[in-house]
Amino acid sequence: MITIDNLFQNKPVLFDGAMGTSIQALNLKDVDPPEMLNLKYSHILEEIHKKYIEAGAQVIETNTFGGSRSRLEISGLADKVNEINSIAVKTAKAAANSDAYIAGSVGPSGFLIEPYGETPRSLVYENFAEQIQLLIDNGADLILIETMISLDEALIALEAAKKTGSRCTGVTLTFEKGLQGFRTSFGESPEEAAAKLYEYGADFIGSNCGHGLEDMKSVAEELRKVSNLPLLIQPNAGLPKVSDGKIEYDETPDMYAELVESLIELGIEFIGGCCGTTYEHIHEGSKVIKSHR
């Protein structure tokens, strides 16, 4: 695995865009959940990664967002946890061919953890540790714990990553704007999240998903004010809308490029895309980043 210093060698660093959006665009009826692509069409997964690298991505994420045992149980794929995570990393590495780093993607467990729910913290930890170990063993360069709506769960995953041996671990949370400003679904502010993640040893932190480019710019500003850790910002391309039976996002690659410019001015070190961002978004972002080097 790499360290945070490796990522810093050529900053700002561009991460890839949405994996889920890329898979949905293929309209493959037998791919549900998205991790099924690893098992059935790894050659198509490799092409997705290659297109993002061609667009300028320096870090690509494995197709393992829902690859923990707890998430795969929902689709009856718990017995494939090893295979799904192994193929994901190996396919990403084949696509990268040393031209990009591989981030092992780890999403929420899908459980409501005690005291809010009945799921023991120990079970959630075990699920995270199992998946992260698989990602590391198969050659992921770093671990990215993402789209966390609970700071508590994010800290459990971060602890699992650290104890499993991850040398470079990032955590991104999703914030929604309410009467009290930006908060996670469990009420934690960017300032509170930043302080706790630093305390628990995150190598970089940030935010992903959310309502779109403008909201994410505001979240980035808040995080920059309260944290000296490297920041990763990965916005959605707006909110999803259904048109002619298809899910579409209305924030264009040019609009994304404008956000990238603003994020660079804020000193954001790592930039990527979440739901709705495409190869075109990343390509336009890459042009902006290259102009600042």
Side-chain angles (χ1 to χ4, degrees):
M1 296 191 78
I2 63 171
T3 67
I4 194 69
D5 293 333
N6 297 113
L7 283 180
F8 258 54
Q9 288 178 0
N10 199 17
K11 64 177 183 178
V13 177
L14 185 62
F15 281 57
D16 58 9
M19 175 59 71
T21 300
S22 301
I23 294 174
Q24 287 172 356
L26 299 171
N27 198 29
L28 297 170
K29 303 298 183 183
D30 56 345
V31 173
D32 184 25
E35 289 76 20
M36 185 69 79
L37 192 72
N38 306 7
L39 301 176
K40 291 194 171 187
Y41 304 106
S42 62
H43 62 288
I44 295 178
L45 177 59
E46 185 173 344
E47 286 304 311
I48 292 174
H49 288 313
K50 285 181 177 178
K51 286 179 181 178
Y52 274 124
I53 294 169
E54 289 167 2
Q58 299 159 271
V59 180
I60 57 173
E61 296 185 35
T62 57
N63 185 34
T64 55
F65 177 80
S68 66
R69 182 175 295 275
S70 60
R71 288 290 290 270
L72 293 174
E73 277 178 353
I74 298 170
S75 305
L77 293 172
D79 62 330
K80 300 291 185 182
V81 62
N82 191 325
E83 192 176 357
I84 283 171
N85 285 277
S86 299
I87 291 173
V89 178
K90 291 173 182 176
T91 302
K93 289 174 71 70
N97 195 26
S98 301
D99 291 328
Y101 288 122
I102 311 303
S105 172
V106 178
S109 66
F111 288 132
L112 192 58
I113 308 168
E114 57 185 9
Y116 300 101
E118 297 181 356
T119 304
R121 297 171 62 87
S122 58
L123 177 62
V124 176
Y125 176 89
E126 289 167 9
N127 274 271
F128 281 133
E130 177 186 35
Q131 182 188 14
I132 292 168
Q133 188 70 67
L134 287 168
L135 294 170
I136 292 173
D137 288 349
N138 283 281
D141 295 306
L142 61 144
I143 297 298
L144 177 57
I145 299 159
E146 57 181 344
T147 326
M148 288 289 167
I149 62 172
S150 160
L151 177 58
D152 186 41
E153 182 172 2
L155 295 174
I156 294 172
L158 177 57
E159 181 182 6
K162 287 293 182 179
K163 289 186 176 178
T164 304
S166 176
R167 297 173 61 200
C168 183
T169 311
V171 182
T172 57
L173 292 96
T174 298
F175 298 96
E176 304 289 345
K177 191 174 185 179
L179 295 176
Q180 295 182 308
F182 289 100
R183 296 289 188 274
T184 68
S185 296
F186 284 76
E188 298 110 355
S189 68
E191 182 174 11
E192 181 183 354
K196 276 292 184 181
L197 291 169
Y198 173 80
E199 179 185 337
Y200 274 64
D203 295 290
F204 62 97
I205 64 172
S207 182
N208 75 303
C209 214
H211 276 226
L213 305 182
E214 278 305 310
D215 273 7
M216 190 59 86
K217 179 182 176 183
S218 299
V219 171
E221 290 171 344
E222 288 199 27
L223 285 170
R224 184 78 294 168
K225 288 177 184 176
V226 299
S227 180
N228 291 323
L229 283 174
L231 297 181
L232 168 62
I233 300 296
Q234 294 176 297
N236 284 355
L239 288 173
K241 299 173 183 176
V242 179
S243 177
D244 295 327
K246 294 182 179 180
I247 299 175
E248 296 181 352
Y249 294 80
D250 59 6
E251 294 185 336
T252 66
D254 286 341
M255 295 167 69
Y256 175 77
E258 292 177 8
L259 175 70
V260 172
E261 185 75 47
S262 298
L263 294 177
I264 291 173
E265 290 173 4
L266 282 172
I268 304 301
E269 293 87 352
F270 309 142
I271 302 168
C274 202
C275 305
T277 54
T278 64
Y279 313 119
E280 289 76 18
H281 287 81
I282 298 305
H283 178 64
E284 291 304 312
S286 176
K287 290 195 290 188
V288 175
I289 285 177
K290 287 176 180 176
S291 73
H292 284 268
R293 289 206 177 113

